[in-house]
Amino acid sequence: MEKLPLIVVVSIIAIGICFWVFNNPNGVGKGIENGGTNVKLRIEQATSPEN
């Protein structure tokens, strides 16, 4: 029971770090979004009838 406050504080800090990493303009969330856009464009180029 004496370690419960420490677990709560660490959990809150971990959740805050996760939000910061994914919502940061240069963070992981933006990289995933850019990667998805690149894949979509390449699929559209590969399947277009002009090629």
Side-chain angles (χ1 to χ4, degrees), residues 3-41:
K3 292 188 177 184
L4 184 62
L6 178 64
I7 293 171
V8 170
V9 169
V10 169
S11 298
I12 291 171
I13 291 172
I15 290 170
I17 289 172
C18 287
F19 274 109
W20 179 77
V21 166
F22 282 97
N23 292 326
N24 190 10
N26 297 321
V28 175
K30 192 66 168 177
I32 292 172
E33 181 180 331
N34 289 343
T37 303
N38 289 342
V39 169
K40 179 183 174 190
L41 289 174

